[in-house]
Amino acid sequence: MNADKNTNSNAESSAENKDLTGKREQTVLTHAGSKPGEYHGAVNVPVHRMSTIVFDSYDAFEKVPNVPYAYGRAGTPTSAAFEEAITAIEGAHRSVATCSGLSAIVATLLAFVEQGDHILMTDNCYGPGRKTCEQVLRRFGVEVEYYPPMIGRDITSMFRPNTKLVFMEAPGSLTFEVQDIGAITTAAKAAGIKTAIDNSWATPLNLKPLDLGIDVSVMSATKYVCGHSDAMLGVVSTNAESWNAVKRSALMLGLCGGSEELYLGARGLRTLRPRMEQHQKAGLKIATWLSTHKEVKRVLHPALPTCPGHENWKKYYKGASGTFGILLHETRRENIARMLDGMSLFSMGFSWGGFESLLFPEQPGHARSAVPWTEDGFSLRIHIGLEDPADLKADLSAGLDRLAA
Ligand SMILES: Cc1ncc(COP(=O)(O)O)c(C=O)c1O
């Protein structure tokens, strides 16, 4: 085909942006944010590498900030496509992308507090989020208190006149308790306190925080959304009342997603459901098998009754992901090392949510202050990837044999 002709026909493409009104979630997930009508028929909004954006005239220049794109950090068509798609599946008012999940947490914390305020943070929150509270918020005169994750509606007893935010995470990092997010939200709402939740584990496919009345949903899109262990990305979605504060916070902190990462985030959304279904299916299969293994003291998988808060998972969640914990009877470091060093498919890594299986050894006690962690053995955080579960089971089985040897 003649190249010029090809270019012309692309330029004249009449592919339309799809009307998603009234469409079901999987359809929305497949098309939200896509704008073929604006990009010569391309179904993916391209990567826009933009910092400088120039204006045709002084008139146009004077219209800033009421133009869609004025400077790369404040938004590009690529960030808009990702944010639009996330907003659609979160059922949010709007969303803002940031450069990582941690920065999405930081933007949320700083959106609602000032010197002299008090916040309640779940005791099982993501570790670096806790460090931000300790090393940033406290320095600026914000009182941080950690609440027991299973506190439920009794959280009311911790409210003070200056409490501005309750930050939840369910299931919690490393220990996987599923808190009663509905009861906590109702209590906070009645007291006029903002609520936020880290929704990285469930993703909006398995939990829609805003439908439960939570004001802000925070996600590390690095995990399941991007899904391929090759991008750092965060996103915050809010209801209408919380939007200005969160957007301003992200802007003033200088947070924005990178062009490639935003593109990968939007692309990841298209396959999120089938990936999540496989992570869930394989994860449950392996967690159920592990719960019968003699080396395993307890399996901390929200969909199994041995996980604290399993009832809350059943009440609020539509499904599970492939990330869970196990507690081992073993307490000796050298035996844990023998198990981990010999794994053939599972690798040790700090992340989860990608296509590949990961293991992460932990002793969660050191990160707790509201309720002591009393288990003495090691725990492992396990992320079940997209490999064949039979091969993963064989790898874990051999590992647990090494532990006992
Ligand atoms: C629950 C949770 N939230 C947030 C984050 C931070 O995300 P990121 O690594 O994208 O900064 C992580 C990272 O492991 C996490 O596990």
Side-chain angles (χ1 to χ4, degrees):
M1 191 190 284
N2 171 314
D4 286 338
K5 200 165 166 224
N6 192 19
T7 307
N8 286 339
S9 73
N10 278 345
E12 286 158 14
S13 166
S14 61
E16 288 188 4
N17 302 336
K18 302 231 173 341
D19 177 10
L20 299 174
T21 319
K23 297 292 186 294
R24 292 174 176 77
E25 185 177 70
Q26 176 59 21
T27 307
V28 173
L29 194 60
T30 307
H31 293 288
S34 170
K35 297 179 175 62
E38 290 167 41
Y39 296 102
H40 313 288
V43 293
N44 294 302
V45 171
V47 174
H48 287 74
R49 295 185 184 282
M50 293 155 78
S51 55
T52 306
I53 294 166
V54 295
F55 301 89
D56 280 350
S57 62
Y58 188 34
D59 258 7
F61 187 77
E62 277 191 323
K63 293 207 172 71
V64 174
N66 299 316
V67 295
Y69 307 113
Y71 182 57
R73 188 182 345 103
T76 69
T78 315
S79 65
F82 174 69
E83 289 162 354
E84 211 177 285
I86 292 282
T87 296
I89 56 163
E90 284 271 15
H93 170 66
R94 303 234 355 225
S95 305
V96 59
T98 65
C99 52
S100 64
L102 180 59
S103 61
I105 294 172
V106 174
T108 303
L109 293 172
L110 292 178
F112 300 111
V113 292
E114 57 189 44
Q115 190 178 23
D117 286 344
H118 169 251
I119 69 160
L120 287 166
M121 186 85 181
T122 184
D123 203 25
N124 57 1
C125 65
Y126 173 58
R130 190 180 186 108
K131 279 194 184 140
T132 300
C133 288
E134 293 303 307
Q135 296 173 21
V136 180
L137 292 191
R138 281 201 204 282
R139 262 202 301 136
F140 291 97
V142 176
E143 274 184 89
V144 183
E145 199 176 349
Y146 298 94
Y147 69 87
M150 303 313 290
I151 195 168
R153 73 163 75 92
D154 290 344
I155 196 154
T156 311
S157 65
M158 299 182 79
F159 292 163
R160 302 185 196 167
N162 59 342
T163 307
K164 290 291 160 54
L165 177 69
V166 177
F167 195 105
M168 300 171 265
E169 185 181 321
S173 276
L174 307 179
T175 45
F176 291 90
E177 303 95 326
V178 185
Q179 50 193 273
D180 191 338
I181 52 183
I184 292 174
T185 302
T186 305
K189 240 185 180 29
I193 297 167
K194 290 276 183 200
T195 48
I197 188 167
D198 186 325
N199 198 29
S200 310
W201 180 88
T203 82
L205 296 191
N206 288 325
L207 181 77
K208 292 206 194 306
L210 293 132
D211 285 357
L212 290 177
I214 298 171
D215 296 295
V216 180
S217 174
V218 179
M219 233 192 334
S220 165
T222 307
K223 308 290 187 288
Y224 287 110
V225 170
C226 288
H228 291 73
S229 309
D230 53 2
M232 301 296 305
L233 190 63
V235 62
V236 190
S237 303
T238 82
N239 57 19
E241 305 79 63
S242 310
W243 170 245
N244 284 343
V246 167
K247 176 68 181 173
R248 192 167 48 235
S249 176
L251 268 180
M252 294 303 96
L253 291 166
L255 304 177
C256 60
S259 334
E260 293 285 347
E261 287 76 5
L262 290 159
Y263 177 90
L264 292 171
R267 192 173 74 157
L269 285 174
R270 311 305 178 205
T271 58
L272 183 60
R273 182 181 291 282
R275 285 188 288 109
M276 287 299 276
E277 281 172 0
Q278 178 60 21
H279 287 301
Q280 166 170 250
K281 200 166 123 205
L284 255 174
K285 197 171 182 169
I286 289 175
T288 306
W289 163 70
L290 282 168
S291 65
T292 63
H293 198 287
K294 66 178 179 15
E295 294 301 323
V296 177
K297 202 196 281 183
R298 196 142 56 97
V299 175
L300 303 172
H301 188 305
L304 296 182
T306 46
C307 187
H310 168 64
E311 291 306 315
N312 293 326
W313 176 79
K314 281 204 288 194
K315 191 163 163 192
Y316 299 116
Y317 289 70
K318 274 204 228 146
S321 70
T323 307
F324 60 93
I326 58 173
L327 300 175
L328 298 170
H329 291 292
E330 187 56 69
T331 54
R332 287 161 299 181
R333 191 200 167 277
E334 62 275 20
N335 290 14
I336 299 288
R338 200 166 51 235
M339 171 182 179
L340 296 176
D341 291 347
M343 301 304 291
S344 73
L345 291 173
F346 284 88
S347 307
M348 261 176 287
F350 284 108
S351 201
W352 44 279
F355 58 85
E356 81 294 10
S357 290
L358 293 171
L359 267 182
F360 175 83
E362 246 306 342
Q363 288 181 295
H366 63 84
R368 292 306 190 87
S369 59
V371 236
W373 180 253
T374 50
E375 305 284 354
D376 54 353
F378 270 81
S379 87
L380 296 178
R381 182 178 68 194
I382 300 179
H383 167 61
I384 299 298
L386 301 177
E387 302 92 337
D388 191 307
D391 290 331
L392 296 176
K393 186 175 157 191
D395 197 21
L396 281 170
S397 180
L400 290 166
D401 287 350
R402 281 194 300 282
L403 192 69

